[in-house]
Amino acid sequence: MKKILISLFIAAICSFSFAQTAKYSNEFLSLGVGARALSMSNAMVSLTDDVTAAYWNPAGLTRMDKKYEVSLMHSEYFAGIAKYDYAGIAYKIDDKSAIAISYLRFGVDNIMNTTELIDNQGNVDYNRISYFSAADNAFMVSYGRKIGKIEGLSFGASAKVIRRTIGDFAGAWGFGIDAGLQYQKKGWQ
């Protein structure tokens, strides 16, 4: 009973301590990866222990069971118009550390470009229709390591490069760094 009350107290403090604002830049990075995570409403930060930890919390890479892990995911949104793809590979370096490489893409392909449909004389020529894609891409490198002095504590970090393209019309580059901790003790995470 004491553990339950402490857990509820900590959860209440955490929920009132953090304020978030809406963001729209690189929103595709908040969609999630992995069937397990998506079925659990993205509640994975403390539970992740496989190759998808590179996305959720890179500290979880240290809890992988196998030396190598690979994960692939494809999902479609808006009746198949938008495609979301994920690929990740992780390597357990030793019993204390692991590294992972991940790739994410969210895009809409085969968008009609009708900017040249009508020529200067006002003639419509459907052969002048071309197609383009609007896509967001992210490439991540993640590393996780157990902290030796405190048993059950792991640290991880991810560096990501983001590329947004809209056909030949526009493009942008971005980058980000994430860090996370995981702590396990007596069945608690």
Side-chain angles (χ1 to χ4, degrees):
M1 185 65 170
K2 186 177 180 182
K3 286 183 181 181
I4 293 172
L5 289 175
I6 291 171
S7 297
L8 290 173
F9 178 72
I10 291 171
I13 289 173
C14 291
S15 66
F16 292 117
S17 299
F18 299 101
Q20 295 181 355
T21 59
K23 67 174 189 137
Y24 300 101
S25 176
N26 299 320
E27 193 66 25
F28 78 105
L29 291 174
S30 65
L31 292 175
V33 298
R36 177 182 177 209
L38 296 175
S39 67
M40 295 176 59
S41 299
N42 297 337
M44 292 301 293
V45 175
S46 66
L47 298 175
T48 188
D49 59 359
D50 59 7
V51 64
T52 62
Y55 175 90
W56 295 107
N57 182 352
L61 290 170
T62 61
R63 295 176 42 211
M64 289 188 337
D65 293 334
K66 300 174 186 78
K67 185 128 176 119
Y68 296 97
E69 288 190 14
V70 176
S71 179
L72 300 171
M73 185 185 97
H74 173 77
S75 181
E76 297 187 6
Y77 292 84
F78 310 112
I81 295 172
K83 314 278 193 265
Y84 181 57
D85 298 300
Y86 162 79
I89 184 166
Y91 171 68
K92 194 168 188 175
I93 298 168
D94 54 31
D95 63 336
K96 291 188 176 196
S97 60
I99 190 166
I101 298 172
S102 306
Y103 173 73
L104 290 144
R105 180 186 188 271
F106 185 81
V108 176
D109 300 314
N110 298 319
I111 302 169
M112 285 183 156
N113 178 3
T114 58
T115 57
E116 297 179 12
L117 177 64
I118 301 172
D119 64 15
N120 294 338
Q121 309 302 319
N123 301 318
V124 175
D125 184 2
Y126 292 103
N127 293 325
R128 297 175 64 163
I129 294 175
S130 60
Y131 296 88
F132 68 95
S133 296
D136 292 326
N137 297 278
F139 178 77
M140 297 188 298
V141 176
S142 306
Y143 177 77
R145 182 161 185 85
K146 292 180 181 176
I147 298 175
K149 300 196 187 264
I150 303 171
E151 188 175 336
L153 183 63
S154 297
F155 171 79
S158 293
K160 56 188 158 196
V161 176
I162 301 161
R163 174 74 174 147
R164 174 172 285 172
T165 57
I166 303 173
D168 295 331
F169 310 111
W173 289 92
F175 65 91
I177 298 173
D178 297 320
L181 292 170
Q182 270 191 352
Y183 182 64
Q184 282 185 288
K185 186 171 184 175
K186 298 180 183 174
W188 290 81
Q189 298 179 353

